[in-house]
Amino acid sequence: MTKKIKSYLVFTSFLYRLVMFLLIPVALTVIGLQFGIPMVAALIPLVEIVSDYRLFGGIQTKEAVKLDFLNTSGNGRAIMKTAISLDIFRKLVSVVVILPICFLLILLTSAEQSSDVVSFGSDTAVSFLCFAAASCWFFSVLGTYMGRFGSQFWFSLLMGYLGTILEVFCWFLPNLLRYALLYATGFMVLGIWVSILAVKTILKKVEGSYYD
């Protein structure tokens, strides 16, 4: 497992790890305390998609150069598969950690929010939390995948804005209060499908780079 983690971290800089693993989660938690879970869920796709420009930006373009060094290693395919897979998993872990922490802190610091949870019921609150996590993870994965087809920062930024807009629209889905858990399941399935597609796409790119 340690080798797999190193396969992912080799693509990251110290600054990237500091920002994505510490500063961004703290900032999003603070924002959540002020503006609520929907705001955090809307910002996560933007943050994840735009930050990926510094990690794997443009890696799926025809002229990508970030795969060149993998041609010198017989383990290049495995390294890339692990890196992409762990990046997707990290995105999921981030939302699963950040959103519940925001939720708990809101309950502890806001009497009004606590009373709302009591009135709606804990099951409904958990369903909404699952919906928020699943939907923003899906749009993060989808936007990241699409953003890697462009090599310019503005393209990643555009995908980030689009991911945030789509996440906002999701909070207006029909009968969300009643079907939050069902919607969450659907987004998780879609997220897994896009994740598999992302891994397959990059593996195809790595295999093709051996013949370039």
Side-chain angles (χ1 to χ4, degrees), residues 1-211:
M1 187 62 186
T2 303
K3 290 184 178 180
K4 290 184 177 181
I5 294 176
K6 287 182 178 179
S7 295
Y8 171 56
L9 294 180
V10 72
F11 290 94
T12 68
S13 64
F14 172 77
L15 180 60
Y16 178 89
R17 294 193 292 271
L18 177 64
V19 172
M20 294 305 297
F21 299 167
L22 179 61
L23 299 183
I24 291 297
V26 171
L28 289 174
T29 301
V30 173
I31 291 172
L33 286 172
Q34 295 295 321
F35 302 102
I37 296 296
M39 176 63 77
V40 178
L43 289 175
I44 286 177
L46 176 63
V47 171
E48 290 288 0
I49 296 167
V50 173
S51 65
D52 188 73
Y53 177 78
R54 300 297 302 172
L55 189 60
F56 297 119
I59 204 168
Q60 291 167 180
T61 60
K62 184 177 181 180
E63 64 276 9
V65 297
K66 294 183 179 181
L67 298 179
D68 290 349
F69 79 97
L70 295 175
N71 294 339
T72 63
S73 172
N75 295 323
R77 189 175 185 273
I79 291 172
M80 202 66 221
K81 179 181 180 181
T82 299
I84 296 297
S85 299
L86 285 181
D87 184 61
I88 293 169
F89 181 68
R90 182 200 58 77
K91 287 177 170 58
L92 180 59
V93 171
S94 292
V95 300
V96 169
V97 171
I98 293 172
L99 293 180
I101 289 177
C102 286
F103 180 71
L104 291 175
L105 290 177
I106 288 172
L107 291 183
L108 292 174
T109 58
S110 173
E112 181 180 352
Q113 293 287 349
S114 298
S115 62
D116 288 341
V117 171
V118 172
S119 63
F120 281 112
S122 58
D123 290 344
T124 300
V126 171
S127 295
F128 268 103
L129 198 59
C130 291
F131 167 79
S135 60
C136 71
W137 176 67
F138 164 66
F139 289 119
S140 295
V141 173
L142 177 63
T144 299
Y145 172 68
M146 297 301 298
R148 289 170 183 166
F149 284 102
S151 58
Q152 301 296 324
F153 177 74
W154 67 263
F155 187 73
S156 293
L157 189 61
L158 178 63
M159 292 298 103
Y161 285 143
L162 183 60
T164 290
I165 291 171
L166 291 174
E167 173 64 26
V168 171
F169 282 157
C170 280
W171 288 88
F172 298 94
L173 287 171
N175 297 312
L176 182 58
L177 186 63
R178 183 177 182 181
Y179 298 118
L181 200 56
L182 181 61
Y183 283 130
T185 303
F187 280 121
M188 282 300 298
V189 171
L190 289 173
I192 292 171
W193 177 74
V194 174
S195 299
I196 294 172
L197 181 62
V199 173
K200 287 185 175 180
T201 300
I202 203 64
L203 289 182
K204 184 177 180 180
K205 178 66 179 177
V206 172
E207 291 171 355
S209 69
Y210 282 107
Y211 303 101

